[in-house]
Amino acid sequence: MQNRTKGIITGVSSYILWGVLGLYWSLLKEVTALDILGYRFIFSLVFMAVILSFQKQWTSFFVSVKTLWQSGKIIWVILSSLFIALNWGTYIYMVGHGQATEASLGYYIMPVLNVVVAVFFFREPLTKTSVLAVLFATIGVVLLTIQTGSIPFNTMIVAFAFCFYGVLKKQIALPASFSLTLETMVCFPLAVGYFFFSKTPSLFSYDGLTISLLVLSGVITAVPLLLFTVAAKSLDFLTLSFIQYINPTIQLLIAVFFFREAFDPHKLIVFVFIWIGIAIFTIGSIHSYRQAIFYKK
C-alpha cells in the first residue's frame, strides 16, 4: 500500500507538471520554438550531468552506453531522441501560436494511436473495443480536418512523435536517468550546431527572467520524467491508464480558460468523439486487465 501511494503521488505529480508546461512556454514568447528546443536539450544535459555526478553513476552509464553500442541498439536511442525532439519542438510551437487546444487533442488521441502501432508493428490482436476506439478517434480527426479545411498536421505530429518515441523506448532497457542523459547527449551537438550557424540572439541578449526560464527548462524537462519512472514501477497498468489523461485535460483547460482559445461547438463535437473513443479504450483496457489478473489466479 505504501508503494502504491508513492506511485500515485509521483504519477499524478508528473502528469500535472507535464500538463502545466504550456504556461511555462507561454512565458517565453519572445524566444522562437527552435531556440527553446535547443536550450531545452543543452540545459537538460547539464542538469542530468549534475544528477549522475551526485549519484556517482557515470561509470555505470558509460558501461550501459558501451553495451548499447556493441549490440547495435544505439540506433534506437538516436531515433527516439529525434522523435522526442520533434514532439517537444512541435508542442512548444503550437503553444506559442495559439494552438494549445489542438496540442491537447494530440495527447488525448496518443493512447489510441498506441493501439494502431501495436497492431502494425508488434502484431498484437485488435480487440472489438480497440476497433471502436480507433474508429471514434479517426472520426474526430476527420471532423477537425473538415472544420479547418486542412489536415491537423501539428496535432498528428505531437501524437505520432510521442507514440513512436514510446515504441522505441521499449527496445532499450535503461534507467530513466541514463536514458534521458543519452537522449540529450545525442541532440546536444545538433543544438550547439544550430546556435553556432543560425543568426539567433545569444542567451545573454535576453532579460534576466527569460534567461532563468531557459536555464530551468532542463530541470522542468527532467523532473516529470524521473517522477513518472517511479510511478511506472510502483503502479499497475490500470491506474496508470486512468491518470495519464490528467496531462491533456490540464492542457485543454489552460488553453480555454488561460489562453482564451476558442472552444466553439464545432471543436466540442471533435473532442466528444475523441472522448468517446478514450472511454471505449479505457473500458476495454479494464476488461483485459481484469481477465489477465483472473487467469493468473
Side-chain angles (χ1 to χ4, degrees):
M1 182 60 69
Q2 201 172 36
N3 200 42
R4 177 178 171 81
T5 301
K6 179 179 71 174
I8 291 175
I9 292 172
T10 53
V12 170
S13 298
S14 66
Y15 280 118
I16 289 175
L17 288 172
W18 276 326
V20 300
L21 271 182
L23 290 173
Y24 194 92
W25 305 131
S26 70
L27 298 174
L28 293 166
K29 287 183 178 179
E30 62 179 297
V31 187
T32 66
L34 278 177
D35 287 7
I36 294 174
L37 182 63
Y39 286 123
R40 190 175 184 182
F41 276 117
I42 289 172
F43 290 116
S44 291
L45 180 57
V46 171
F47 179 70
M48 292 312 302
V50 172
I51 293 294
L52 290 190
S53 298
F54 179 77
Q55 295 177 337
K56 298 180 179 179
Q57 289 288 316
W58 280 112
T59 301
S60 300
F61 170 76
F62 284 116
V63 169
S64 298
V65 173
K66 182 180 179 181
T67 302
L68 287 173
W69 183 271
Q70 291 174 340
S71 66
K73 289 187 176 181
I74 194 71
I75 187 64
W76 300 124
V77 177
I78 295 172
L79 289 173
S80 66
S81 302
L82 296 177
F83 274 116
I84 197 61
L86 183 60
N87 173 270
W88 288 354
T90 305
Y91 177 72
I92 293 169
Y93 172 85
M94 293 179 77
V95 170
H97 289 76
Q99 300 175 25
T101 303
E102 288 79 2
S104 71
L105 180 62
Y107 285 105
Y108 269 125
I109 65 176
M110 189 191 66
V112 182
L113 280 181
N114 288 340
V115 174
V116 178
V117 170
V119 171
F120 283 98
F121 288 89
F122 301 112
R123 304 298 179 188
E124 293 183 10
L126 192 61
T127 64
K128 291 180 180 178
T129 53
S130 296
V131 171
L132 282 173
V134 171
L135 177 62
F136 275 97
T138 303
I139 292 172
V141 173
V142 169
L143 286 174
L144 184 60
T145 301
I146 295 171
Q147 290 174 18
T148 59
S150 61
I151 298 173
F153 282 113
N154 288 339
T155 298
M156 300 310 295
I157 288 172
V158 165
F160 272 103
F162 202 81
C163 178
F164 282 112
Y165 171 72
V167 170
L168 292 169
K169 291 279 281 187
K170 287 184 178 181
Q171 314 304 315
I172 313 160
L174 279 179
S177 57
F178 287 10
S179 180
L180 183 57
T181 302
L182 190 52
E183 286 164 10
T184 50
M185 275 186 171
V186 169
C187 291
F188 181 83
L190 298 177
V192 172
Y194 166 75
F195 286 122
F196 183 79
F197 290 106
S198 68
K199 295 181 180 179
T200 184
S202 70
L203 175 64
F204 298 105
S205 66
Y206 298 111
D207 59 76
L209 175 61
T210 300
I211 293 172
S212 300
L213 291 172
L214 289 171
V215 171
L216 287 174
S217 66
V219 178
I220 60 99
T221 294
V223 170
L225 182 61
L226 297 175
L227 286 171
F228 176 76
T229 303
V230 174
K233 292 179 180 179
S234 307
L235 293 176
D236 55 84
F237 169 78
L238 185 58
T239 306
L240 276 176
S241 296
F242 273 115
I243 67 174
Q244 70 178 319
Y245 295 111
I246 292 174
N247 173 17
T249 301
I250 292 176
Q251 288 181 18
L252 178 59
L253 292 173
I254 288 174
V256 174
F257 295 106
F258 187 85
F259 297 142
R260 300 295 182 183
E261 291 187 9
F263 194 70
D264 51 40
H266 298 294
K267 277 189 179 179
L268 177 60
I269 291 172
V270 171
F271 272 87
V272 164
F273 274 98
I274 300 297
W275 288 330
I276 291 173
I278 289 169
I280 294 171
F281 171 77
T282 304
I283 292 169
S285 299
I286 293 171
H287 179 69
S288 299
Y289 179 79
R290 285 178 175 173
Q291 278 191 325
I293 295 297
F294 177 79
Y295 286 123
K296 279 184 180 180
K297 290 179 179 180

